[in-house]
Amino acid sequence: MERDTKKLLTSLNLLYKEMDEIYHNYAKRSGISNTALWIMYSICEKEEPSTQRELAAEWHYPPQTVNSVLKSFEKDGYIMLVPVPGNQKSKAVVLTEKGRAFAERVVYPMMLAEERALGALTEKEQKAFLSIVEKYVDILKAEISRI
């Protein structure tokens, strides 16, 4: 591996871990796990309710992990699991009033911080950033699958 490429990969991996730590510390300060934070985030950002299966696929979590978080949210009164019409097995995840209050206190401030951070970039930088990261992830996925 070329020296410049190795330095670039080290920098990229350290930045990724730093971002991960930012979210981890926020989740910890908020009294929830990283997984719970991201699942609640996903519930909040959608206009239509998701199913457990959709949440697991979207966030690349095992279905058992999502089920565990949702059971905890249900026990805490943050969500209700509502049967999906025409599908006996699937249930939509719907926020309760208590869940909306939790989201207002924990999730929406984080979303606003993300929006402000991304908004500090120009539109051109935002598009380039997303495009390059998407391309890198697609190539990395293909490369790792060949191992």
Side-chain angles (χ1 to χ4, degrees), residues 85-101:
N87 189 335
Q88 297 269 342
K89 289 185 177 183
S90 290
K91 293 187 180 184
V93 180
V94 178
L95 282 178
T96 62
E97 277 302 314
K98 188 174 179 182
R100 280 191 278 285

Side-chain angles (χ1 to χ4, degrees), residues 34-47:
N34 291 5
T35 307
L37 177 65
W38 288 118
I39 290 173
M40 184 60 79
Y41 184 103
S42 184
I43 293 167
C44 292
E45 74 178 349
K46 297 192 179 321
E47 292 184 24

Side-chain angles (χ1 to χ4, degrees), residues 17-135:
K17 293 305 292 175
E18 185 176 356
M19 265 182 47
D20 193 45
E21 183 181 31
I22 291 166
Y23 288 113
H24 170 76
N25 289 338
Y26 183 76
K28 189 175 177 180
R29 280 195 335 257
S30 301
I32 60 173
S33 69
N34 291 5
T35 307
L37 177 65
W38 288 118
I39 290 173
M40 184 60 79
Y41 184 103
S42 184
I43 293 167
C44 292
E45 74 178 349
K46 297 192 179 321
E47 292 184 24
E48 296 296 319
S50 296
T51 64
Q52 176 178 322
R53 180 173 289 157
E54 290 167 342
L55 291 169
E58 182 177 329
W59 288 94
H60 306 277
Y61 289 129
Q64 302 91 329
T65 300
V66 174
N67 182 56
S68 177
V69 169
L70 293 179
K71 290 293 180 198
S72 176
F73 282 164
E74 191 175 34
K75 182 178 157 255
D76 292 339
Y78 295 153
I79 64 160
M80 293 184 308
L81 298 173
V82 179
V84 174
N87 189 335
Q88 297 269 342
K89 289 185 177 183
S90 290
K91 293 187 180 184
V93 180
V94 178
L95 282 178
T96 62
E97 277 302 314
K98 188 174 179 182
R100 280 191 278 285
F102 176 81
E104 288 289 334
R105 193 175 72 254
V106 174
V107 179
Y108 294 128
M110 186 180 91
M111 288 176 161
L112 186 57
E114 290 176 321
E115 287 176 27
R116 285 193 305 257
L118 199 57
L121 303 175
T122 67
E123 187 176 339
K124 186 177 179 180
E125 288 171 329
Q126 291 173 13
K127 287 179 183 177
F129 175 67
L130 183 60
S131 175
I132 291 166
V133 172
E134 283 177 338
K135 183 175 182 180

